């Protein structure tokens, strides 16, 4: 991947709605050249899609680490994948480890999710740890560009 494609990706990551004309002006190339490059990046699967990133400051985010007794956890993965609270789901290195990120408007909903996972998969789960996110410092894909001066002001004011 050349530097021009990297710059196109950087600009689109910052603003997925940026026009080919504006990208071209920024990089000193034509709109058509940008369009061809973006189309090729899409065809190669480097650009997987475009989406509106919604962010509500009042939402609560929880990180959930689950360790199961054995590798037969497909039902648990399916359950987590179906719930509307889970936004990310990963199989981790190590033995039988799953990471889930869940988001809800209220912490009680996340506590309920944890309770239901424990209850439904009681004999399967060896260990479950849940941690609410205290502060988001950087979340590229979640649309949060946190200003550190804002954080300092918050600490000072209250």
């Amino acid at each position: 991947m050349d530097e021009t494609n990297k710059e196109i990706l950087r600009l689109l990551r910052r603003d997925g709605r940026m026009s080919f004309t504006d990208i071209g002006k920024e990089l000193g190339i034509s709109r058509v050249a940008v369009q061809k490059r973006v189309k090729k990046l899409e065809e190669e699967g480097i650009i997987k899609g475009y989406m509106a990133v919604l962010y509500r400051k009042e939402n609560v985010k929880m990180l959930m680490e689950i360790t199961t007794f054995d590798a037969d956890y497909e039902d648990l993965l399916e359950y987590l994948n179906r719930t509307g609270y889970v936004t990310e789901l990963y199989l981790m290195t190590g033995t039988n480890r799953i990471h889930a990120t869940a988001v809800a408007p209220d912490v009680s909903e996340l506590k309920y999710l944890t309770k239901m996972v424990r209850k439904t998969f009681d004999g399967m789960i060896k260990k479950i740890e849940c941690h609410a996110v205290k502060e988001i410092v950087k979340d590229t894909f979640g649309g949060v560009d946190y200003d550190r001066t804002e954080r300092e002001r918050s600490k000072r004011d209250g």
Side-chain angles (χ1 to χ4, degrees), residues 117-128:
V117 168
R118 284 182 200 269
K119 181 179 175 184
T120 306
F121 299 96
D122 181 46
M124 181 185 296
I125 294 175
K126 182 178 187 177
K127 180 177 160 184
I128 184 168

mmCIF file with all atom_site columns, all heavy atoms in Angstrom, residues 117-128:
data_model
loop_
_atom_site.group_PDB
_atom_site.id
_atom_site.type_symbol
_atom_site.label_atom_id
_atom_site.label_alt_id
_atom_site.label_comp_id
_atom_site.label_asym_id
_atom_site.label_entity_id
_atom_site.label_seq_id
_atom_site.pdbx_PDB_ins_code
_atom_site.Cartn_x
_atom_site.Cartn_y
_atom_site.Cartn_z
_atom_site.occupancy
_atom_site.B_iso_or_equiv
_atom_site.pdbx_formal_charge
_atom_site.auth_seq_id
_atom_site.auth_comp_id
_atom_site.auth_asym_id
_atom_site.auth_atom_id
_atom_site.pdbx_PDB_model_num
ATOM 1  N N   . VAL A 1 117 ? -26.072 -14.365 31.793 1.00 0.00 ? 117 VAL A N   1
ATOM 2  C CA  . VAL A 1 117 ? -24.982 -15.190 31.259 1.00 0.00 ? 117 VAL A CA  1
ATOM 3  C C   . VAL A 1 117 ? -24.555 -16.205 32.308 1.00 0.00 ? 117 VAL A C   1
ATOM 4  O O   . VAL A 1 117 ? -24.404 -17.397 32.012 1.00 0.00 ? 117 VAL A O   1
ATOM 5  C CB  . VAL A 1 117 ? -23.789 -14.314 30.803 1.00 0.00 ? 117 VAL A CB  1
ATOM 6  C CG1 . VAL A 1 117 ? -22.552 -15.149 30.535 1.00 0.00 ? 117 VAL A CG1 1
ATOM 7  C CG2 . VAL A 1 117 ? -24.170 -13.499 29.566 1.00 0.00 ? 117 VAL A CG2 1
ATOM 8  N N   . ARG A 1 118 ? -24.357 -15.733 33.548 1.00 0.00 ? 118 ARG A N   1
ATOM 9  C CA  . ARG A 1 118 ? -23.966 -16.646 34.636 1.00 0.00 ? 118 ARG A CA  1
ATOM 10 C C   . ARG A 1 118 ? -25.002 -17.759 34.827 1.00 0.00 ? 118 ARG A C   1
ATOM 11 O O   . ARG A 1 118 ? -24.669 -18.935 34.972 1.00 0.00 ? 118 ARG A O   1
ATOM 12 C CB  . ARG A 1 118 ? -23.832 -15.889 35.948 1.00 0.00 ? 118 ARG A CB  1
ATOM 13 C CG  . ARG A 1 118 ? -22.603 -15.059 36.082 1.00 0.00 ? 118 ARG A CG  1
ATOM 14 C CD  . ARG A 1 118 ? -22.597 -14.394 37.469 1.00 0.00 ? 118 ARG A CD  1
ATOM 15 N NE  . ARG A 1 118 ? -21.744 -13.246 37.530 1.00 0.00 ? 118 ARG A NE  1
ATOM 16 C CZ  . ARG A 1 118 ? -20.459 -13.287 37.876 1.00 0.00 ? 118 ARG A CZ  1
ATOM 17 N NH1 . ARG A 1 118 ? -19.902 -14.428 38.179 1.00 0.00 ? 118 ARG A NH1 1
ATOM 18 N NH2 . ARG A 1 118 ? -19.745 -12.183 37.911 1.00 0.00 ? 118 ARG A NH2 1
ATOM 19 N N   . LYS A 1 119 ? -26.273 -17.383 34.849 1.00 0.00 ? 119 LYS A N   1
ATOM 20 C CA  . LYS A 1 119 ? -27.354 -18.338 35.110 1.00 0.00 ? 119 LYS A CA  1
ATOM 21 C C   . LYS A 1 119 ? -27.505 -19.336 33.959 1.00 0.00 ? 119 LYS A C   1
ATOM 22 O O   . LYS A 1 119 ? -27.603 -20.544 34.192 1.00 0.00 ? 119 LYS A O   1
ATOM 23 C CB  . LYS A 1 119 ? -28.660 -17.565 35.311 1.00 0.00 ? 119 LYS A CB  1
ATOM 24 C CG  . LYS A 1 119 ? -29.848 -18.426 35.611 1.00 0.00 ? 119 LYS A CG  1
ATOM 25 C CD  . LYS A 1 119 ? -31.088 -17.576 35.817 1.00 0.00 ? 119 LYS A CD  1
ATOM 26 C CE  . LYS A 1 119 ? -32.310 -18.454 35.994 1.00 0.00 ? 119 LYS A CE  1
ATOM 27 N NZ  . LYS A 1 119 ? -33.524 -17.676 36.108 1.00 0.00 ? 119 LYS A NZ  1
ATOM 28 N N   . THR A 1 120 ? -27.498 -18.839 32.729 1.00 0.00 ? 120 THR A N   1
ATOM 29 C CA  . THR A 1 120 ? -27.741 -19.686 31.567 1.00 0.00 ? 120 THR A CA  1
ATOM 30 C C   . THR A 1 120 ? -26.585 -20.653 31.302 1.00 0.00 ? 120 THR A C   1
ATOM 31 O O   . THR A 1 120 ? -26.809 -21.777 30.857 1.00 0.00 ? 120 THR A O   1
ATOM 32 C CB  . THR A 1 120 ? -27.988 -18.808 30.315 1.00 0.00 ? 120 THR A CB  1
ATOM 33 O OG1 . THR A 1 120 ? -29.037 -17.882 30.611 1.00 0.00 ? 120 THR A OG1 1
ATOM 34 C CG2 . THR A 1 120 ? -28.384 -19.643 29.109 1.00 0.00 ? 120 THR A CG2 1
ATOM 35 N N   . PHE A 1 121 ? -25.358 -20.214 31.587 1.00 0.00 ? 121 PHE A N   1
ATOM 36 C CA  . PHE A 1 121 ? -24.187 -21.018 31.255 1.00 0.00 ? 121 PHE A CA  1
ATOM 37 C C   . PHE A 1 121 ? -23.380 -21.384 32.505 1.00 0.00 ? 121 PHE A C   1
ATOM 38 O O   . PHE A 1 121 ? -22.164 -21.517 32.446 1.00 0.00 ? 121 PHE A O   1
ATOM 39 C CB  . PHE A 1 121 ? -23.324 -20.267 30.236 1.00 0.00 ? 121 PHE A CB  1
ATOM 40 C CG  . PHE A 1 121 ? -24.062 -19.991 28.954 1.00 0.00 ? 121 PHE A CG  1
ATOM 41 C CD1 . PHE A 1 121 ? -24.693 -18.764 28.752 1.00 0.00 ? 121 PHE A CD1 1
ATOM 42 C CD2 . PHE A 1 121 ? -24.172 -20.969 27.981 1.00 0.00 ? 121 PHE A CD2 1
ATOM 43 C CE1 . PHE A 1 121 ? -25.389 -18.517 27.577 1.00 0.00 ? 121 PHE A CE1 1
ATOM 44 C CE2 . PHE A 1 121 ? -24.875 -20.735 26.809 1.00 0.00 ? 121 PHE A CE2 1
ATOM 45 C CZ  . PHE A 1 121 ? -25.490 -19.508 26.604 1.00 0.00 ? 121 PHE A CZ  1
ATOM 46 N N   . ASP A 1 122 ? -24.075 -21.570 33.602 1.00 0.00 ? 122 ASP A N   1
ATOM 47 C CA  . ASP A 1 122 ? -23.452 -21.810 34.903 1.00 0.00 ? 122 ASP A CA  1
ATOM 48 C C   . ASP A 1 122 ? -22.410 -22.925 34.881 1.00 0.00 ? 122 ASP A C   1
ATOM 49 O O   . ASP A 1 122 ? -21.288 -22.750 35.334 1.00 0.00 ? 122 ASP A O   1
ATOM 50 C CB  . ASP A 1 122 ? -24.538 -22.116 35.944 1.00 0.00 ? 122 ASP A CB  1
ATOM 51 C CG  . ASP A 1 122 ? -23.964 -22.343 37.329 1.00 0.00 ? 122 ASP A CG  1
ATOM 52 O OD1 . ASP A 1 122 ? -23.104 -21.548 37.746 1.00 0.00 ? 122 ASP A OD1 1
ATOM 53 O OD2 . ASP A 1 122 ? -24.378 -23.318 37.972 1.00 0.00 ? 122 ASP A OD2 1
ATOM 54 N N   . GLY A 1 123 ? -22.729 -24.077 34.351 1.00 0.00 ? 123 GLY A N   1
ATOM 55 C CA  . GLY A 1 123 ? -21.810 -25.206 34.355 1.00 0.00 ? 123 GLY A CA  1
ATOM 56 C C   . GLY A 1 123 ? -20.662 -25.072 33.366 1.00 0.00 ? 123 GLY A C   1
ATOM 57 O O   . GLY A 1 123 ? -19.695 -25.826 33.413 1.00 0.00 ? 123 GLY A O   1
ATOM 58 N N   . MET A 1 124 ? -20.760 -24.119 32.468 1.00 0.00 ? 124 MET A N   1
ATOM 59 C CA  . MET A 1 124 ? -19.762 -23.935 31.416 1.00 0.00 ? 124 MET A CA  1
ATOM 60 C C   . MET A 1 124 ? -18.704 -22.897 31.798 1.00 0.00 ? 124 MET A C   1
ATOM 61 O O   . MET A 1 124 ? -17.558 -22.980 31.383 1.00 0.00 ? 124 MET A O   1
ATOM 62 C CB  . MET A 1 124 ? -20.480 -23.491 30.136 1.00 0.00 ? 124 MET A CB  1
ATOM 63 C CG  . MET A 1 124 ? -19.588 -23.271 28.954 1.00 0.00 ? 124 MET A CG  1
ATOM 64 S SD  . MET A 1 124 ? -20.493 -22.607 27.529 1.00 0.00 ? 124 MET A SD  1
ATOM 65 C CE  . MET A 1 124 ? -21.592 -23.956 27.186 1.00 0.00 ? 124 MET A CE  1
ATOM 66 N N   . ILE A 1 125 ? -19.093 -21.921 32.610 1.00 0.00 ? 125 ILE A N   1
ATOM 67 C CA  . ILE A 1 125 ? -18.216 -20.785 32.901 1.00 0.00 ? 125 ILE A CA  1
ATOM 68 C C   . ILE A 1 125 ? -17.349 -21.067 34.128 1.00 0.00 ? 125 ILE A C   1
ATOM 69 O O   . ILE A 1 125 ? -17.857 -21.356 35.208 1.00 0.00 ? 125 ILE A O   1
ATOM 70 C CB  . ILE A 1 125 ? -19.031 -19.492 33.095 1.00 0.00 ? 125 ILE A CB  1
ATOM 71 C CG1 . ILE A 1 125 ? -19.706 -19.114 31.780 1.00 0.00 ? 125 ILE A CG1 1
ATOM 72 C CG2 . ILE A 1 125 ? -18.137 -18.371 33.596 1.00 0.00 ? 125 ILE A CG2 1
ATOM 73 C CD1 . ILE A 1 125 ? -20.623 -17.930 31.855 1.00 0.00 ? 125 ILE A CD1 1
ATOM 74 N N   . LYS A 1 126 ? -16.066 -20.969 33.923 1.00 0.00 ? 126 LYS A N   1
ATOM 75 C CA  . LYS A 1 126 ? -15.092 -21.140 35.004 1.00 0.00 ? 126 LYS A CA  1
ATOM 76 C C   . LYS A 1 126 ? -14.919 -19.825 35.759 1.00 0.00 ? 126 LYS A C   1
ATOM 77 O O   . LYS A 1 126 ? -14.864 -19.782 36.979 1.00 0.00 ? 126 LYS A O   1
ATOM 78 C CB  . LYS A 1 126 ? -13.754 -21.578 34.395 1.00 0.00 ? 126 LYS A CB  1
ATOM 79 C CG  . LYS A 1 126 ? -12.644 -21.847 35.358 1.00 0.00 ? 126 LYS A CG  1
ATOM 80 C CD  . LYS A 1 126 ? -11.418 -22.321 34.560 1.00 0.00 ? 126 LYS A CD  1
ATOM 81 C CE  . LYS A 1 126 ? -10.308 -22.777 35.450 1.00 0.00 ? 126 LYS A CE  1
ATOM 82 N NZ  . LYS A 1 126 ? -9.170  -23.283 34.638 1.00 0.00 ? 126 LYS A NZ  1
ATOM 83 N N   . LYS A 1 127 ? -14.861 -18.729 34.997 1.00 0.00 ? 127 LYS A N   1
ATOM 84 C CA  . LYS A 1 127 ? -14.623 -17.411 35.599 1.00 0.00 ? 127 LYS A CA  1
ATOM 85 C C   . LYS A 1 127 ? -15.215 -16.338 34.690 1.00 0.00 ? 127 LYS A C   1
ATOM 86 O O   . LYS A 1 127 ? -15.141 -16.433 33.471 1.00 0.00 ? 127 LYS A O   1
ATOM 87 C CB  . LYS A 1 127 ? -13.111 -17.211 35.736 1.00 0.00 ? 127 LYS A CB  1
ATOM 88 C CG  . LYS A 1 127 ? -12.685 -15.906 36.346 1.00 0.00 ? 127 LYS A CG  1
ATOM 89 C CD  . LYS A 1 127 ? -11.152 -15.928 36.473 1.00 0.00 ? 127 LYS A CD  1
ATOM 90 C CE  . LYS A 1 127 ? -10.582 -14.552 36.599 1.00 0.00 ? 127 LYS A CE  1
ATOM 91 N NZ  . LYS A 1 127 ? -9.117  -14.581 36.625 1.00 0.00 ? 127 LYS A NZ  1
ATOM 92 N N   . ILE A 1 128 ? -15.804 -15.341 35.319 1.00 0.00 ? 128 ILE A N   1
ATOM 93 C CA  . ILE A 1 128 ? -16.320 -14.199 34.561 1.00 0.00 ? 128 ILE A CA  1
ATOM 94 C C   . ILE A 1 128 ? -15.953 -12.929 35.321 1.00 0.00 ? 128 ILE A C   1
ATOM 95 O O   . ILE A 1 128 ? -16.175 -12.825 36.519 1.00 0.00 ? 128 ILE A O   1
ATOM 96 C CB  . ILE A 1 128 ? -17.849 -14.306 34.321 1.00 0.00 ? 128 ILE A CB  1
ATOM 97 C CG1 . ILE A 1 128 ? -18.358 -13.170 33.449 1.00 0.00 ? 128 ILE A CG1 1
ATOM 98 C CG2 . ILE A 1 128 ? -18.605 -14.375 35.614 1.00 0.00 ? 128 ILE A CG2 1
ATOM 99 C CD1 . ILE A 1 128 ? -19.778 -13.382 32.942 1.00 0.00 ? 128 ILE A CD1 1
#
